[in-house]
Amino acid sequence: TGLDLEKEPMAEDHFQLIGGLDNRWILMQSNDGLVLLNIRAASERILFENLRREMQAGTVPAQRLLIPEVIELPVKDAVWISENLPALNASGFALEPFGGNTFKLESLPPALAGREARSTLLDICESLRASGSLGNPSLAGESLARSVSCLAAIEGFAYEENRARQLVRELLRCELPYASPRGHP
């Protein structure tokens, strides 16, 4: 798309909202021409930067489950979870070993509230394996922030100007507003 990822983010008033497309895109106009904003990629970036900032400050909120869940995982996943417990707990999970391949989950990051706990943990395990972050706490933290933001990102929404403007405003406050945490424009 020809975006220069090193340039300073533009001000919100640089963009004129045109409308929505297929509940997945926001169409805008700038002095440079037509801009297509992928709602999911923007949502991922905003969630990622907020969670990463909270993790660095040690202030990640947690959404307590009404009833803690006891989850039995396959051996390979239980090993990955055990190795990454500090990073998981620092990212809003309250997870503790409960014997063998079983863990007790008491809370999730608020962005993941409402998701089924076991499948969320399996998705996180897959993300950690794919990132090669095992045993490296700083990589695990980045990978977890990326994974949580990916799982929690909104797919899109029916275009409403106020909602679109708010998303653009939040995105332009990000350090890197031109790409999702996974590198998508």
Side-chain angles (χ1 to χ4, degrees):
T1 59
L3 288 175
D4 179 3
L5 298 179
E6 298 299 319
K7 70 181 180 180
E8 285 292 313
M10 296 179 192
E12 177 187 355
D13 59 2
H14 182 80
F15 298 101
Q16 178 184 9
L17 295 176
I18 296 172
L21 178 64
D22 195 28
N23 293 340
R24 293 178 45 217
W25 301 90
I26 296 173
L27 302 167
M28 301 182 293
Q29 181 177 348
S30 75
N31 293 339
D32 299 325
L34 181 66
V35 177
L36 295 172
L37 176 64
N38 181 310
I39 293 171
R40 179 176 177 76
S43 176
E44 281 182 40
R45 171 52 62 183
I46 294 163
L47 289 167
F48 172 75
E49 289 198 14
N50 287 341
L51 181 56
R52 189 178 60 181
R53 197 172 20 261
E54 290 168 344
M55 288 172 71
Q56 289 170 347
T59 61
V60 178
Q63 178 67 48
R64 294 196 64 77
L65 301 176
L66 192 55
I67 300 171
E69 289 199 37
V70 176
I71 302 166
E72 186 169 347
L73 297 171
V75 174
K76 66 179 181 175
D77 293 323
V79 169
W80 284 83
I81 293 288
S82 294
E83 293 287 334
N84 290 284
L85 267 176
L88 283 160
N89 288 327
S91 67
F93 289 88
L95 193 62
E96 63 184 57
F98 204 64
N101 301 331
T102 306
F103 294 85
K104 183 170 77 169
L105 180 66
E106 294 185 1
S107 67
L108 291 168
L112 297 177
R115 286 186 51 100
E116 198 274 319
R118 185 175 192 282
S119 65
T120 298
L121 281 178
L122 291 172
D123 289 343
I124 295 291
C125 288
E126 183 59 36
S127 173
L128 290 173
R129 268 196 297 283
S131 72
S133 61
L134 182 63
N136 186 332
S138 64
L139 283 180
E142 281 286 310
S143 180
L144 276 167
R146 192 175 298 108
S147 181
V148 167
S149 66
C150 180
L151 291 173
I154 57 173
E155 291 293 327
F157 53 81
Y159 181 80
E160 298 171 13
E161 185 173 343
N162 288 339
R163 191 168 181 191
R165 192 169 305 287
Q166 180 63 31
L167 185 72
V168 171
R169 187 176 300 123
E170 288 179 38
L171 181 63
L172 291 174
R173 283 190 217 130
C174 290
E175 291 174 28
L176 183 61
Y178 301 116
S180 78
R182 297 180 293 157
H184 299 140

